[in-house]
Amino acid sequence: MAANLKVTQIKSVISEKQNQRDTLRSLGLKRIGQSVVREDTKQNRGYVNVVAHLVKVEEID
């Protein structure tokens, strides 16, 4: 069974680089406190690594 990632934005994108803003948007995050559930793939892990300082990640089943 494939695991999922629950990604929650915990910091603002103000004063962050444009590619980090775009990465958060591609994950589906628009505001602080918002959470999304994404499939645990290499692509999504890469997105999370780019914005690791702005998000909190939990593995869920």
Side-chain angles (χ1 to χ4, degrees):
M1 184 165 76
N4 288 321
L5 298 174
K6 180 179 179 185
V7 185
T8 305
Q9 184 177 344
I10 58 170
K11 293 184 93 179
S12 174
V13 296
I14 295 174
S15 79
E16 298 299 333
K17 294 180 180 178
Q18 187 64 43
N19 70 319
Q20 294 174 352
R21 293 178 188 205
D22 294 341
T23 301
L24 278 180
R25 206 52 114 108
S26 67
L27 283 169
L29 297 169
K30 297 179 182 178
R31 61 184 59 92
I32 297 172
Q34 183 179 7
S35 297
V36 293
V37 176
R38 294 281 174 227
E39 192 175 339
D40 189 4
T41 62
K42 288 183 179 182
Q43 182 180 11
N44 286 332
R45 287 281 181 168
Y47 287 158
V48 168
N49 286 337
V50 170
V51 292
H53 59 291
L54 301 174
V55 298
K56 179 176 75 171
V57 181
E58 303 170 44
E59 289 187 14
I60 57 176
D61 290 329

